Amino acid sequence: MVEETAQILAEYVYDLAGDGLRTVVIVTKDDHEIQYLRDDLKQNYTREGYTEVVDTFRLKNPFLSPDLAGKPIGERRAIINYHESACVIQLPFSESETILISVSRETAKDLIEFIESCREIVREHS
C-alpha cells in the first residue's frame, strides 16, 4: 500500500537526514496525502498554499513513460526537482500514485554542487 511505503520512506530519510527532511507526500491524480511535514513548515503553509505547491508536481504524462521502453535511456526511475530552498525527489509507486520527498539543500549538498557546476557552465556560455 502506498501509505505504508511513504511512511517507511519518511522514517528512512528522517533517520539519514533528521530535520533535513522537509516533507513526504503521496500525490494521486486528483488529491494528495501528507505523510510527514516538518513542524516549521506547518507554520509556513496554509492548506491551500501546500496544495498549490503539490499541484505543480502533478504529471501530465504517465510517470513510467512506456514510450521509452527498449530505448538506451531506459525507464524513468525518479524525477529530481531543484528549488531555491529544497530538493524534491518524485518516485513512482503505481501508474496513478507518486511519492514526493522534499529535503533541505544541505541534505542534498553533493547533488546541488554538481547541478550548480553544470549551471555555471551554461551561464558562462549563454
Side-chain angles (χ1 to χ4, degrees):
M1 221 161 120
V2 68
E3 293 85 3
E4 181 180 342
T5 302
Q7 190 59 44
I8 291 168
L9 277 170
E11 291 169 11
Y12 173 74
V13 177
Y14 189 84
D15 286 347
L16 289 174
D19 286 337
L21 176 61
R22 296 170 50 91
T23 188
V24 175
V25 62
I26 299 165
V27 180
T28 59
K29 181 180 177 189
D30 299 316
D31 202 7
H32 71 276
E33 181 180 332
I34 299 169
Q35 293 295 305
Y36 174 84
L37 182 59
R38 197 172 66 195
D39 288 339
D40 64 315
L41 296 177
K42 290 177 187 176
Q43 298 169 6
N44 293 340
Y45 283 105
T46 64
R47 176 76 176 154
E48 295 78 21
Y50 192 85
T51 298
E52 285 178 24
V53 171
V54 169
D55 285 346
T56 66
F57 294 99
R58 289 191 196 287
L59 301 176
K60 293 181 173 125
N61 297 318
F63 191 97
L64 300 177
S65 299
D67 52 325
L68 291 177
K71 303 285 191 270
I73 194 168
E75 71 181 2
R76 183 183 298 155
R77 302 281 175 95
I79 297 173
I80 299 171
N81 295 277
Y82 169 39
H83 297 269
E84 186 176 343
S85 300
C87 277
V88 179
I89 304 162
Q90 190 166 9
L91 301 165
F93 182 80
S94 70
E95 287 186 25
S96 61
E97 301 162 309
T98 61
I99 301 172
L100 297 178
I101 302 168
S102 175
V103 296
S104 69
R105 289 176 55 97
E106 182 59 33
T107 299
K109 181 182 170 194
D110 292 341
L111 178 59
I112 289 172
E113 286 176 0
F114 171 73
I115 292 169
E116 284 300 322
S117 295
C118 293
R119 288 185 64 205
E120 185 59 32
I121 292 168
V122 170
R123 277 192 296 268
E124 288 174 1
H125 294 90
S126 61

